[in-house]
Amino acid sequence: ARAPSQLRTISHNNNNHHNNNSAQQKQDQANSIQTGLNRLDTQLHNLESSMTISSVEAGRRRGLLDGLHSQLSEITGSTGGIGIGIGRQSNYTKNHQSTSATAAALRHQDELIDDLAIGVGRLKTQTHMIHDESRAHVHLLNEMDSNVDLANQGLEDETRRAMRLREEKSVWRLHLIIVGLSVLLFLLILMGLS
């Protein structure tokens, strides 16, 4: 905020005073502004390298700083002396450049936000797909659990039936042995009587 006001002061003083004393003061002011701009440039470089600010914000600040440097060079002129100052057309150009730089930064931010929205949309779709797949897995596991229970129940039923058949078979053999022994006893009794 101080550098633009100093630039306006130099420009205003440039239009109103034309003696050697004021030229020296203007040169001192220009040097002071240049020192301040260099300090701002160093601080911005430190902020960029430490990643304290975003790249978009750093680009915006770099654009503002470059605009101040170019205004100072226009005021001081190519010979290092104080020039005429910034006219209306130059102000319009600088404001237009600053506005277009801001608009470009905003467009870039909008593009980044759009990309982020697309990524979030994809993430949402994948989340829904994972949710549906996990539901299907839970359903399959529940079916498998009930199928295992049914198979276990069937196996127990078959085991009981096999045990019953075994018992029935051994009872049938026992009956057959009793009948055979009864016939043999009857035959022995008949043979003993004869």
Side-chain angles (χ1 to χ4, degrees), residues 7-193:
L7 285 174
R8 283 192 295 274
T9 303
I10 290 174
S11 177
H12 178 71
N13 286 343
N14 213 11
N15 291 332
N16 293 333
H17 302 288
H18 292 290
N19 62 28
N20 286 341
N21 190 22
S22 68
Q24 182 60 39
Q25 287 176 347
K26 290 174 191 172
Q27 186 63 41
D28 291 342
Q29 285 179 342
N31 290 340
S32 171
I33 293 171
Q34 185 64 43
T35 303
L37 289 176
N38 290 340
R39 190 180 73 247
L40 286 174
D41 194 23
T42 303
Q43 289 175 350
L44 181 59
H45 180 70
N46 290 340
L47 288 173
E48 285 175 319
S49 56
S50 68
M51 305 276 251
T52 305
I53 58 174
S54 68
S55 60
V56 174
E57 178 64 16
R60 184 186 71 79
R61 290 181 184 188
R62 177 73 55 207
L64 291 172
L65 198 56
D66 290 343
L68 290 174
H69 274 295
S70 64
Q71 283 181 7
L72 182 63
S73 65
E74 283 182 18
I75 289 173
T76 58
S78 61
T79 60
I82 301 298
I84 300 173
I86 301 173
R88 287 187 181 176
Q89 182 64 28
S90 180
N91 275 338
Y92 172 76
T93 305
K94 292 301 172 188
N95 288 339
H96 182 67
Q97 287 175 349
S98 176
T99 303
S100 65
T102 304
L106 289 174
R107 276 193 303 274
H108 181 67
Q109 266 184 338
D110 288 343
E111 290 171 3
L112 291 174
I113 289 171
D114 290 342
D115 289 344
L116 186 62
I118 290 169
V120 167
R122 269 190 250 137
L123 185 62
K124 180 182 176 184
T125 303
Q126 288 176 349
T127 303
H128 284 300
M129 288 171 52
I130 290 170
H131 177 69
D132 292 342
E133 191 172 333
S134 64
R135 258 200 209 161
H137 282 252
V138 167
H139 180 70
L140 288 173
L141 287 172
N142 287 339
E143 278 184 12
M144 195 160 54
D145 191 35
S146 64
N147 288 343
V148 165
D149 288 342
L150 286 174
N152 195 18
Q153 184 65 34
L155 188 61
E156 287 176 3
D157 290 345
E158 289 300 318
T159 304
R160 270 190 241 115
R161 189 177 311 149
M163 293 294 287
R164 206 173 325 123
L165 282 175
R166 193 170 115 195
E167 287 173 6
E168 286 176 6
K169 190 174 183 183
S170 58
V171 169
W172 180 74
R173 272 191 200 159
L174 191 60
H175 286 288
L176 189 60
I177 291 172
I178 290 173
V179 168
L181 288 175
S182 298
V183 168
L184 184 63
L185 180 64
F186 182 71
L187 286 177
L188 284 176
I189 292 177
L190 279 180
M191 284 176 29
L193 290 177

